[in-house]
Amino acid sequence: LARTPYSLAYYVGKLFYGSFASDGTENEATIYATNNDADPTLELKLDTPYFRTTCMAVYKGELFAGFQMRDTGAGAIAFAQIYGRVAAHATAGTDPWTTRLTATGGAAGAENAFSSMVVFAGNLYVSYFNQSATAKIYKYDGTTWTTQYTASAASTRANLYLFVDTNKAGTEILYAFGLSESDTMTWLSSTDGTTFTSRTAVLETVTPHSSSVFSSSLALPVFFGFDQT
């Protein structure tokens, strides 16, 4: 079975990477770990409806992993889950992984996933997306999960990707961006992780040259190392 790495995190001296069955023949999300001195070891394997390990992050000494679900069979429900590795090493005969959050809503379509996670202002933030119903950003403070942002309209319901950057004034900012169900760009920012401001209006449209490799007139920004004022 061909496997493709999809997410990465460094934890307890090892590189953990989430993957999926890249040949499309099987629903099977996995997490492997390696320390470069030995062959990768299988740390977690989840079968249908788990499709891929979409995101990972380390928060307060725990490794969190989010998953995309894919199940369109009879009786299927729309949901996605986050697992946490609660200890660096499992006690003999126990499983170090536990379910930490389950999000539901909408149809059991292919795009039903926790898409991205980052640590910001002492909390863990995770984006959730269901293509027929909702886009959300959750916050976890080490004890409780709360919803900080919700979008349900097709024009704003986007599969959001999160990242953190610092502006010229030294303020740390949480950003979220994604393409909505109506092919419009969603661009959000927050300085406190609670109030999100739309920045979509600052995006510029361009007319690509006839030989351009871009297929859209929407110029997508570069998100790492860019200057935000």
Side-chain angles (χ1 to χ4, degrees), residues 36 39 66 86 93 103 106 111 121 129-130 138 142 152 169 180 185 195 201 227:
N36 291 328
D39 291 336
V86 297
E111 293 300 326
F129 176 73
N130 177 278
Y138 289 93
S152 56
S180 76
M185 196 71 180
T195 301
D227 182 18

Side-chain angles (χ1 to χ4, degrees), residues 1-4 19-28 48 50-52 70:
L1 181 65
R3 308 219 60 85
T4 298
S19 63
F20 70 106
S22 55
D23 58 7
T25 61
E26 185 175 344
N27 281 9
E28 182 184 280
T48 302
Y50 295 86
F51 176 65
R52 74 178 99 205
R70 178 169 288 181

Side-chain angles (χ1 to χ4, degrees), residues 191-203:
T191 56
D192 60 8
T194 300
T195 301
F196 285 84
T197 301
S198 174
R199 300 173 60 88
T200 306
V202 306
L203 295 175

Side-chain angles (χ1 to χ4, degrees), residues 49-75:
Y50 295 86
F51 176 65
R52 74 178 99 205
T53 310
T54 48
C55 53
M56 290 194 289
V58 177
Y59 175 65
K60 291 190 173 181
E62 183 173 347
L63 177 61
F64 289 81
F67 297 91
Q68 178 183 351
M69 322 301 273
R70 178 169 288 181
D71 189 359
T72 56

Side-chain angles (χ1 to χ4, degrees), residues 199-218:
R199 300 173 60 88
T200 306
V202 306
L203 295 175
E204 297 181 1
T205 57
V206 297
T207 302
H209 188 272
S210 59
S211 62
S212 172
V213 297
F214 296 106
S215 59
S216 171
S217 62
L218 182 63

Side-chain angles (χ1 to χ4, degrees), residues 29-222:
T30 54
I31 296 177
Y32 289 84
T34 178
N35 62 4
N36 291 328
D37 294 328
D39 291 336
T41 58
L42 179 62
E43 300 289 329
L44 181 65
K45 177 177 177 291
L46 299 169
D47 294 317
T48 302
Y50 295 86
F51 176 65
R52 74 178 99 205
T53 310
T54 48
C55 53
M56 290 194 289
V58 177
Y59 175 65
K60 291 190 173 181
E62 183 173 347
L63 177 61
F64 289 81
F67 297 91
Q68 178 183 351
M69 322 301 273
R70 178 169 288 181
D71 189 359
T72 56
I77 61 172
F79 77 105
Q81 288 188 317
I82 291 176
Y83 272 56
R85 187 181 174 93
V86 297
H89 302 286
T91 303
T94 66
D95 186 350
W97 297 91
T98 58
T99 304
R100 304 307 303 273
L101 177 64
T102 299
T104 61
E111 293 300 326
N112 195 52
F114 285 103
S115 305
S116 180
M117 58 176 65
V118 296
V119 177
F120 172 73
N123 301 296
L124 178 68
Y125 287 82
V126 187
S127 61
Y128 169 73
F129 176 73
N130 177 278
Q131 64 185 32
S132 67
T134 189
K136 294 181 180 181
I137 298 175
Y138 289 93
K139 181 181 79 172
Y140 180 61
D141 62 6
T143 303
T144 305
W145 294 91
T146 54
T147 303
Q148 303 300 302
Y149 171 84
T150 302
S152 56
S155 60
T156 57
R157 187 175 66 243
N159 197 358
L160 295 171
Y161 293 88
L162 310 176
F163 69 100
V164 177
D165 198 12
T166 303
N167 67 8
K168 287 181 177 180
T171 302
E172 193 175 57
I173 302 175
L174 173 62
Y175 293 99
F177 68 95
L179 191 65
S180 76
E181 287 298 290
S182 58
D183 290 331
T184 56
M185 196 71 180
T186 294
W187 172 264
L188 307 168
S189 68
S190 176
T191 56
D192 60 8
T194 300
T195 301
F196 285 84
T197 301
S198 174
R199 300 173 60 88
T200 306
V202 306
L203 295 175
E204 297 181 1
T205 57
V206 297
T207 302
H209 188 272
S210 59
S211 62
S212 172
V213 297
F214 296 106
S215 59
S216 171
S217 62
L218 182 63
L220 302 183
V222 176

